[in-house]
Amino acid sequence: MDSVDAALVRVWPSELRTDRLHLRPVTPEDSSLIRELLTDARVRAFLGGPASEERVAAQQRAYPSTPGTWTVALADGGAAIGLVSISADHRCAGRAAVSYQLLPSAWDQGLGREAVGAAVGWWTRAVPFGGPVVAVTQAANTASRRLLESLGMVLVDELEEFGEQQCLYTPDGGEDDADLRWARLLLARQDEVERRHGARARATPAGRSLPDDLNALSPHNLARLCPARHGAYGRICAHSQGHSPELHLGRAPDGGWIAWLGSAEE
């Protein structure tokens, strides 16, 4: 069976139409929509808050060339109102995940349900052996949870990620999806390994130079660090820009800082 990424390349591009919507591949002309979605505090309320200018620019470059990402527009040449994507899920190998963002002007009209339903249905038809998709949303995001449940998706696990309680959904939720319950254990294992790497990294000269409370790093010092983000927790390198990173910093799910060596063995 193809990996999710390989399967998406094979069946992309694709356009989808529903009664009220047109889902089409993202183009460079959608840059203003991307900026609005990534910087609107209401849209980003359960997604870590408004994105930085660097993140906005990176996504504006990436989305038009990313298989599985659609701009959601109103039918018959109407305005663009959001993004929906199918991509590989980092929590459970071999699974696809659906994600979605709509402008507030499109909320409370059933348009999100229509768009997400179209994307999930497309994956099932286009990749018949790809398995059911995963959807993860914050437990506190009741609107998103209602949307997923209205599509027949069921809660199969809860986990802590990015410092918040998350709900893991998938269609049907029968025995075929029992492996999704391993997602929580896999994240716990990853965190355990990175905390152990952190203890080793702290013993290096670079590690000893860091303050005990990494929150105490000044904005000036933070600005000098590598802007790359690594892994599930949005990790930042503890080296100046333009380096070959070895020591990394990041936040654990509980909000505490962790550090690890990029070349460390488990």
Side-chain angles (χ1 to χ4, degrees), residues 146-207:
R146 285 197 302 267
L147 182 157
L148 296 172
E149 290 164 5
S150 73
L151 291 171
M153 301 185 81
V154 296
L155 179 66
V156 294
D157 202 359
E158 295 187 32
L159 56 147
E160 190 171 320
E161 191 176 36
F162 309 116
E164 301 290 346
Q165 195 71 13
Q166 310 285 344
C167 293
L168 185 69
Y169 282 86
T170 195
D172 301 328
E175 292 183 2
D176 182 55
D177 293 306
D179 61 319
L180 293 175
R181 299 184 181 275
W182 286 99
R184 188 174 186 176
L185 296 176
L186 292 173
L187 285 173
R189 168 63 175 163
Q190 177 182 350
D191 188 64
E192 174 191 342
V193 169
E194 289 172 357
R195 288 178 188 272
R196 187 165 67 248
H197 287 181
R200 297 174 186 169
R202 283 298 213 167
T204 66

Side-chain angles (χ1 to χ4, degrees), residues 19-240:
D19 290 343
R20 297 182 291 170
L21 299 173
H22 177 203
L23 279 67
R24 55 169 177 75
V26 181
T27 70
E29 287 68 37
D30 295 314
S31 60
S32 60
L33 169 69
I34 294 168
R35 173 176 294 280
E36 189 172 359
L37 288 168
L38 292 179
T39 58
D40 189 296
R42 294 165 295 176
V43 175
R44 302 290 300 176
F46 299 100
L47 297 171
S52 66
E53 281 298 313
E54 292 79 7
R55 172 80 186 282
V56 171
Q59 296 298 78
Q60 287 173 326
R61 292 191 299 269
Y63 277 139
S65 59
T66 302
T69 301
W70 293 273
T71 291
V72 181
L74 297 175
D76 301 322
I81 60 171
L83 298 172
V84 171
S85 28
I86 300 283
S87 61
D89 179 63
H90 71 268
R91 305 166 192 84
C92 197
R95 293 283 178 162
V98 61
S99 56
Y100 42 92
Q101 301 176 65
L102 263 65
L103 296 173
S105 60
W107 293 358
D108 301 321
Q109 302 171 55
L111 296 173
R113 179 183 185 279
E114 202 167 316
V116 174
V120 170
W122 170 83
W123 172 258
T124 302
R125 295 188 305 273
V127 189
F129 300 105
V133 298
V134 171
V136 177
T137 190
Q138 270 196 37
N141 191 347
T142 55
S144 181
R145 295 183 65 180
R146 285 197 302 267
L147 182 157
L148 296 172
E149 290 164 5
S150 73
L151 291 171
M153 301 185 81
V154 296
L155 179 66
V156 294
D157 202 359
E158 295 187 32
L159 56 147
E160 190 171 320
E161 191 176 36
F162 309 116
E164 301 290 346
Q165 195 71 13
Q166 310 285 344
C167 293
L168 185 69
Y169 282 86
T170 195
D172 301 328
E175 292 183 2
D176 182 55
D177 293 306
D179 61 319
L180 293 175
R181 299 184 181 275
W182 286 99
R184 188 174 186 176
L185 296 176
L186 292 173
L187 285 173
R189 168 63 175 163
Q190 177 182 350
D191 188 64
E192 174 191 342
V193 169
E194 289 172 357
R195 288 178 188 272
R196 187 165 67 248
H197 287 181
R200 297 174 186 169
R202 283 298 213 167
T204 66
R208 288 195 296 271
S209 71
L210 299 171
D212 289 336
D213 179 9
L214 297 182
N215 289 300
L217 289 172
S218 69
H220 174 72
N221 287 334
L222 285 172
R224 296 175 60 189
L225 299 181
C226 171
R229 297 294 185 265
H230 302 275
Y233 305 141
R235 307 152 184 165
I236 45 179
C237 298
H239 279 279
S240 298

